[in-house]
Amino acid sequence: MTFANPSARQPRGPRPPRPPRGAAGRRRPSPIAITVVVLALVVVAVLLLAQFWTEVLWFDQLGYSQVLWTQWLTRGALFVAGLLVMGGAVFASLAIGYRTRPVYAPSNQEQASLDAYREAVEPLRRVVLVAGPAVLGLFAGIAASQQWSSIQLWMHSTEVGQTDPQWHMDLSFYMFQLPGMRFVISFLMAVTVLSGIAAVATHYLYGGFRVGGSAGTPRMTKAARVHLSVIATVLMVLIAANYFLDRYSILTREGDRFEGASYTDVHAVIPSKSILAVVALLVAVMFVVTAVRGSWRIPAIGVGVMVLCAVAIGGVYPAVVQRFQVNPNQQDAEAPYIQRNIDATLSAYGLEDVETTDYNASVTAEPGALREDAETTASIRLLDPQVVSDSFRQLEQIRGFYSFPDTLSVDRYDVADESRDTVIAVREVDLDGLDAQRRNWTNDTTVYTHGFGVVAAYGNTTTSSGAPEFWEGGIPSSGEMGEYEPRIYFGQSSPDYSIVGAPEGSEWELDYPDDESGGAINTSFPTSEVSAGPEIGTFWNKLLYSIKFGSEQILFSERVTAESQILYDRDPVDRVQKVAPYLTLDGRVYPAVVDGRVKWIVDGYTTSNQYPYAAAQSLEDATVDSLTETSTTIAALQPEKVNYIRNSVKATVDAYDGTVTLYAWDATDPVLQSWSKVFDTSLQPVSEISSELMSHIRYPEDLFKVQRTLLGTYHVTDPGQFFSGNDAWRTPNDPTAAGQNVAQPPYYLTLEMPTQDAATFSLMSTYVPAGGNARDVLTGYIAVDAEAGNAAGEPADGYGKIRLLELPRDSTVPGPNQMNNNFTSNPDVSNELNILARGDSEVIRGNLLTLPVGGGLLYVQPVYVQAATGTQFPLLQRVLVAFGDQIGFASTLDEALDQVFGGDDGTSAGDAGNEITPPDTGDTGGDTGDTGDGTATPAPTPAPTGDTGAGATDAQTRLTQAIDRATQAYQDGQAALADGDFAAYGEAQARLQEALEDAAAADAELGGSGG
């Protein structure tokens, strides 16, 4: 028999002459090459520092360095561990395979064909031996670093104090420990498989084993057999561990009807996983025997048996149990496990204490019905915060480089010693509003650095023109708010970065236009007293930030001085997300004037997808509504599936200096407790919340959306009824979002639920039956107490209390879309709306509010009118009201309520006594131009409670009278038509035409406002 040396090399020809060597016998590198390499390394280092060191400066300035370093060190440690484990294992496998190769291998056709491959690989063997494992290790390290949060939670696990109903283990095992274990097992399995592939390839290439060969010839060397057997043994042990952990993961998986382990899972799947784990361990023992004795027959049989068991026990047996034991009696069989799902879901989403009340809503409007709901009626909000933003812009924007968000916020403030629902907005700087000719680096970065002041209007009333009645506004800010720092350096529309601060005596930051002087009032951020951003005065910092923002002006501008600070990452959501990377943040950020400062309030959630038996919910699906679809400042949550959520953190961002403060709102949350161990200096206790801040904290919208979505199904707590699914509800589509087919958003209102003793600031929504063919009638009404009180460090007892009103199953109370149809099809309403929309006017119907008052459910919808072209801003001109089938439509809510309730509703609305006189809708927003150099063309600043409708009373009176005559003529004509009296019908049509002409003339005299 002839043998060949697998590693033998072919003779080489004469070597080419070598270049001259240095004294040490080595080739001397070219000085140019050295210079290029050094410069390249320096450039790379500076580029990296521009990204990483600036982050260090940012976190250090905010006081959250621990968050950054903990995250980076954890990621770094996991990267190194993944790199070493993967790279080391594959390298060891390759090295062992090569070093234990046979010196002489049988020379046959198979080996001869491999000689060419060996000859090709041999010159690159050392490179492949190092580079291959290094590349695999690099990818493995990156993958491992992404699991930093799972590993940290595993290391800092906190007892939950509740056990699962199947294994009776504390839920912390599932929420914190199991995800980390699954990752480690999966990672090690990947390492083992790749190491095995490397071992097989090396042994085969260098003759350690053969696929073919003559009988009686050894097909594998002992070294190869031991090497591969050890790898197979480790793999089988890991597979057994994976089967073992599957038994617990079943409790968190999604099912067809409900989440968690079902009857089949408990009685068939879990036992099969245990059996397969034992089988895998037995096969591992067989591979150990092979390593010692040399026969592959036994482990081969064992692997075959394991595969057969996986098919028969893991697949066929559960299917048989499901089909022949469960399906014929599914409702009874699954009842205990559905109950587990119901209980776990209510607990995981904070719904176990929902107060459910049967509410037999009346549909008959009786006189005086609202007498017992006087406080709720007086607080009904008429300003739609999504509609009136344009009115805020035109009346309070002052200059084009200021802006308000497209959706404003609803809050409550004490005004004249009375708590009032308020629509509030921050006047932010908006560089897009500058004249293009004035846009340059100096203006963008050092002049227009901040906004100025807040604007607030009563939510339940308007001026006589229908404009918001401001109780705080103007520049400088004036009204009932009191003294506060008005400068807004951090907000939702702030520039990407600004450089603030200047030497003493130099003030080039624009504060606001000055009407008296015709110039501007400038300021300089007091960087010697207040820190709002990293210092940028040194050459090194200038260089790094020039690279970071791609702006050489930072390096060379004389306005970047030793007193300068650079402000960036200024959006409140971005700032909170960076310092609290473990939080999911609410899509709505709202401002509040607190303790003399404007503070942005951000709600943070801790979540998990490992809560046993709890229903999984897509956060994006649950939080998408008509607001998120149209607003640029309000967003749905990320497309993340969770089965546990808590509003565990309330965060504030100071609009002046950017300070971020995190308050541990729900200190009992085990997820937050675990993260508190990871970042032990970043959270403040609730006791640190001041009374003024507490008075502006409210229940978060996105959490409420998630909870209302779950309650649409889980208001049913009986397993049998839950299984049948015949009482499922859904959130109605928003009737004001024509053609969008998206959910109606929840609304903040001051209201008193039937089971409450007093009205509270609440967040509410409604339910209609689920299903494409279901009637659009109300089935439920849900509200949560959103008022945290005003006690320092102590939330109000009722805060977060969810109340659910269940209407009778045969309810005839119209749903929002049915009521919208009733409004539109009502002859009086449609006729007047058409008249209001004549000419150059456009009618906008605001949010459709629902309130549980008068023993039934009251609908209220404000109606706005604005110019169809040119300068557009909506003014409230009418209010639609309905109770049952009774509809009211008047210029004020108070009048519309009286129409519905037989001339006397029993109380007074917030706009009682208002007389709407439509204004000229010409451009009252002032000059939007500016010089771009820190000065601005002056424009009149409207008074906070100014009335823009003076002088239009006569025309409005004629318009109102004409509308009344047109309405009466239309009704007379319809009655005559029904009686077949065509003469009377013709006479009514003539009166209708005359009234419409008079209305058009009065409307034209009013400037086409449609008032």
Side-chain angles (χ1 to χ4, degrees):
M1 185 178 294
T2 305
F3 291 86
N5 185 351
S7 60
R9 298 181 180 179
Q10 297 295 329
R12 297 181 177 178
R15 295 179 178 178
R18 294 179 177 179
R21 297 174 179 263
R26 298 178 180 175
R27 294 184 181 88
R28 183 174 298 169
S30 167
I32 296 178
I34 295 175
T35 303
V36 169
V37 170
V38 171
L39 287 176
L41 292 175
V42 170
V43 169
V44 170
V46 173
L47 290 175
L48 290 175
L49 283 173
Q51 299 303 320
F52 292 100
W53 187 248
T54 54
E55 284 294 277
V56 173
L57 294 175
W58 189 90
F59 276 88
D60 184 61
Q61 184 274 325
L62 269 181
Y64 287 90
S65 296
Q66 182 203 16
V67 174
L68 180 67
W69 289 114
T70 299
Q71 189 174 351
W72 279 5
L73 291 175
T74 306
R75 286 179 177 271
L78 288 174
F79 175 82
V80 172
L83 173 68
L84 293 179
V85 172
M86 177 64 81
V90 174
F91 175 83
S93 192
L94 290 170
I96 291 172
Y98 179 76
R99 292 180 181 178
T100 59
R101 69 192 185 284
V103 178
Y104 296 100
S107 180
N108 54 30
Q109 185 176 359
E110 181 183 358
Q111 289 298 321
S113 64
L114 291 174
D115 286 344
Y117 293 105
R118 283 194 292 268
E119 289 296 326
V121 169
E122 188 60 30
L124 300 173
R125 176 176 54 80
R126 294 181 183 275
V127 175
V128 172
L129 190 65
V130 175
V135 171
L136 291 175
L138 180 65
F139 285 109
I142 293 173
S145 68
Q146 302 300 315
Q147 298 295 321
W148 73 275
S149 58
S150 297
I151 299 302
Q152 284 285 10
L153 287 177
W154 187 10
M155 294 169 57
H156 299 90
S157 175
T158 300
E159 289 279 324
V160 176
Q162 294 176 274
T163 59
D164 75 276
Q166 179 63 34
W167 301 108
H168 306 292
M169 300 177 66
D170 189 86
L171 299 187
S172 60
F173 170 76
Y174 300 91
M175 298 176 69
F176 307 128
Q177 300 167 23
L178 186 59
M181 292 179 181
R182 297 306 302 252
F183 162 69
V184 171
I185 295 299
S186 299
F187 183 83
L188 292 178
M189 287 179 67
V191 170
T192 305
V193 169
L194 291 175
S195 298
I197 293 172
V200 169
T202 305
H203 284 298
Y204 180 69
L205 185 64
Y206 288 98
F209 74 89
R210 295 176 296 115
V211 176
S214 58
T217 303
R219 297 191 177 186
M220 182 175 293
T221 64
K222 180 179 180 181
R225 185 186 73 241
V226 172
H227 186 191
L228 295 178
S229 296
V230 169
I231 292 176
T233 300
V234 173
L235 181 60
M236 288 298 108
V237 171
L238 292 173
I239 290 174
N242 198 51
Y243 277 132
F244 183 79
L245 294 180
D246 281 346
R247 299 157 66 244
Y248 302 104
S249 295
I250 287 174
L251 270 61
T252 61
R253 78 176 186 181
E254 295 185 44
D256 295 334
R257 288 183 174 270
F258 60 92
E259 283 75 4
S262 63
Y263 180 95
T264 300
D265 292 328
V266 171
H267 293 87
V269 177
I270 289 178
S272 70
K273 297 291 184 181
S274 301
I275 294 172
L276 291 172
V278 173
V279 171
L281 289 175
L282 292 176
V283 175
V285 173
M286 295 177 187
F287 278 112
V288 174
V289 172
T290 296
V292 176
R293 301 188 59 180
S295 174
W296 288 97
R297 186 181 302 274
I298 295 177
I301 294 174
V303 171
V305 170
M306 186 175 73
V307 172
L308 183 62
C309 288
V311 174
I313 300 176
V316 176
Y317 175 60
V320 170
V321 171
Q322 179 68 34
R323 181 165 184 176
F324 295 102
Q325 190 170 351
V326 176
N327 288 350
N329 311 283
Q330 192 167 5
Q331 182 169 328
D332 294 334
E334 301 288 22
Y337 307 101
I338 293 176
Q339 190 63 60
R340 291 181 179 183
N341 170 249
I342 294 172
D343 295 341
T345 300
L346 297 179
S347 176
Y349 291 93
L351 298 171
E352 61 268 52
D353 295 325
V354 173
E355 179 184 283
T356 303
T357 305
D358 292 332
Y359 189 61
N360 190 11
S362 172
V363 292
T364 303
E366 301 288 345
L370 302 184
R371 187 166 289 109
E372 296 182 1
D373 297 292
E375 187 175 358
T376 298
T377 304
S379 301
I380 294 175
R381 180 169 50 78
L382 297 177
L383 290 191
D384 182 344
Q386 191 176 8
V387 173
V388 298
S389 179
D390 286 338
S391 296
F392 272 54
R393 290 190 185 102
Q394 287 299 321
L395 301 176
E396 283 288 338
Q397 183 170 311
I398 311 303
R399 290 291 187 274
F401 50 78
Y402 292 129
S403 72
F404 295 108
D406 52 12
T407 300
L408 309 183
S409 296
V410 178
D411 203 342
R412 64 264 184 243
Y413 282 83
D414 287 335
V415 184
D417 297 325
E418 181 183 356
S419 180
R420 299 292 297 267
D421 284 9
T422 296
V423 176
I424 187 171
V426 171
R427 187 186 291 107
E428 295 192 57
V429 66
D430 182 7
L431 297 181
D432 291 336
L434 279 173
D435 188 334
Q437 296 179 347
R438 310 302 178 187
R439 294 294 301 273
N440 54 65
W441 184 87
T442 299
N443 278 343
D444 288 0
T445 308
T446 66
V447 176
Y448 297 94
T449 59
H450 60 279
F452 202 90
V454 301
V455 177
Y458 297 113
N460 64 342
T461 188
T462 64
T463 66
S464 60
S465 69
E469 185 174 349
F470 299 108
W471 57 267
E472 181 75 23
I475 291 183
S477 189
S478 62
E480 302 294 328
M481 191 73 75
E483 293 187 6
Y484 66 96
E485 173 55 63
R487 296 171 182 84
I488 311 297
Y489 283 92
F490 295 85
Q492 294 178 289
S493 67
S494 298
D496 289 340
Y497 74 96
S498 295
I499 296 175
V500 300
E504 186 175 355
S506 299
E507 296 181 341
W508 48 65
E509 296 177 44
L510 174 67
D511 244 1
Y512 56 86
D514 183 25
D515 291 341
E516 294 183 3
S517 66
I521 302 298
N522 290 337
T523 189
S524 178
F525 191 87
T527 54
S528 60
E529 303 172 8
V530 181
S531 177
E535 296 179 356
I536 196 176
T538 65
F539 173 81
W540 178 245
N541 284 358
K542 290 182 185 179
L543 176 63
L544 293 183
Y545 281 108
S546 294
I547 297 172
K548 180 180 180 68
F549 292 108
S551 176
E552 71 279 1
Q553 291 93 335
I554 295 177
L555 188 61
F556 299 110
S557 174
E558 294 182 358
R559 289 200 171 187
V560 183
T561 68
E563 290 78 15
S564 297
Q565 295 176 3
I566 184 167
L567 315 182
Y568 58 98
D569 290 335
R570 302 162 75 175
D571 189 293
V573 172
D574 294 339
R575 294 179 78 79
V576 175
Q577 192 68 81
K578 288 183 70 171
V579 303
Y582 51 90
L583 293 177
T584 298
L585 300 182
D586 196 275
R588 164 87 76 155
V589 178
Y590 59 99
V593 178
V594 175
D595 301 323
R597 290 288 185 90
V598 178
K599 298 287 183 73
W600 297 98
I601 301 177
V602 186
D603 284 284
Y605 307 114
T606 46
T607 62
S608 174
N609 58 5
Q610 296 294 314
Y611 197 98
Y613 276 102
Q617 176 63 55
S618 167
L619 294 181
E620 181 183 36
D621 292 345
T623 56
V624 167
D625 58 27
S626 60
L627 266 182
T628 64
E629 291 294 281
T630 58
S631 175
T632 59
T633 55
I634 301 175
L637 295 181
Q638 295 299 313
E640 171 189 7
K641 271 206 169 183
V642 304
N643 63 5
Y644 173 92
I645 187 170
R646 289 289 185 273
N647 177 211
S648 53
V649 171
K650 300 286 187 181
T652 64
V653 178
D654 193 304
Y656 180 63
D657 63 18
T659 300
V660 178
T661 307
L662 306 176
Y663 297 99
W665 184 254
D666 186 356
T668 64
D669 172 37
V671 181
L672 183 65
Q673 290 176 355
S674 297
W675 283 116
S676 297
K677 297 175 185 178
V678 179
F679 305 118
D680 57 0
T681 63
S682 63
L683 289 167
Q684 301 292 323
V686 173
S687 59
E688 294 296 318
I689 297 179
S690 68
S691 61
E692 195 165 351
L693 174 58
M694 187 70 76
S695 68
H696 294 288
I697 286 176
R698 66 190 193 189
Y699 200 81
E701 288 183 59
D702 283 341
L703 176 60
F704 183 72
K705 292 178 188 178
V706 172
Q707 290 174 322
R708 75 173 178 180
T709 300
L710 268 298
L711 273 179
T713 302
Y714 286 89
H715 67 277
V716 177
T717 56
D718 177 77
Q721 189 178 0
F722 184 95
F723 181 86
S724 67
N726 61 8
D727 192 26
W729 303 342
R730 65 173 177 85
T731 304
N733 292 332
D734 189 350
T736 66
Q740 290 192 37
N741 197 33
V742 290
Q744 186 180 37
Y747 299 118
Y748 286 104
L749 297 170
T750 293
L751 61 85
E752 180 181 340
M753 292 287 278
T755 58
Q756 288 182 280
D757 297 328
T760 59
F761 190 68
S762 304
L763 187 60
M764 55 70 54
S765 186
T766 58
Y767 289 111
V768 295
N773 297 323
R775 296 186 306 155
D776 188 66
V777 295
L778 282 189
T779 56
Y781 185 96
I782 182 174
V784 61
D785 190 340
E787 193 164 347
N790 56 9
E794 187 177 351
D797 291 337
Y799 173 84
K801 180 66 176 178
I802 298 176
R803 296 175 174 87
L804 177 65
L805 303 181
E806 289 192 1
L807 276 68
R809 299 300 178 263
D810 59 351
S811 168
T812 59
V813 177
N817 286 277
Q818 193 177 104
M819 182 54 67
N820 183 69
N821 180 75
N822 292 348
F823 283 151
T824 303
S825 60
N826 182 275
D828 297 339
V829 173
S830 62
N831 186 50
E832 189 163 351
L833 288 177
N834 289 334
I835 294 174
L836 288 174
R838 286 173 61 89
D840 294 329
S841 298
E842 178 183 355
V843 174
I844 300 174
R845 286 164 63 173
N847 44 208
L848 184 57
L849 307 178
T850 312
L851 300 98
V853 295
L857 289 157
L858 177 73
Y859 282 99
V860 177
Q861 185 175 41
V863 178
Y864 300 87
V865 177
Q866 68 177 16
T869 59
T871 300
Q872 296 176 296
F873 63 101
L875 299 174
L876 181 67
Q877 296 299 296
R878 296 290 186 272
V879 182
L880 278 164
V881 173
F883 189 96
D885 293 330
Q886 298 297 314
I887 294 176
F889 189 45
S891 60
T892 66
L893 173 61
D894 196 64
E895 294 173 6
L897 289 172
D898 283 341
Q899 291 177 8
V900 169
F901 292 97
D904 179 18
D905 58 84
T907 185
S908 296
D911 63 349
N914 275 14
E915 292 185 5
I916 301 299
T917 55
D920 182 357
T921 56
D923 186 355
T924 60
D927 181 12
T928 57
D930 54 81
T931 64
D933 60 357
T935 63
T937 305
T941 302
T945 57
D947 184 349
T948 61
T953 305
D954 292 341
Q956 173 59 29
T957 300
R958 294 198 304 275
L959 177 61
T960 302
Q961 292 172 350
I963 290 174
D964 291 340
R965 287 190 286 114
T967 302
Q968 185 62 49
Y970 177 82
Q971 293 173 347
D972 292 345
Q974 294 300 309
L977 190 62
D979 294 338
D981 188 348
F982 294 102
Y985 176 75
E987 186 270 336
Q989 290 300 301
R991 286 190 286 118
L992 175 61
Q993 181 63 31
E994 181 183 359
L996 291 176
E997 292 174 355
D998 291 345
D1003 182 65
E1005 187 173 336
L1006 288 169
S1009 69

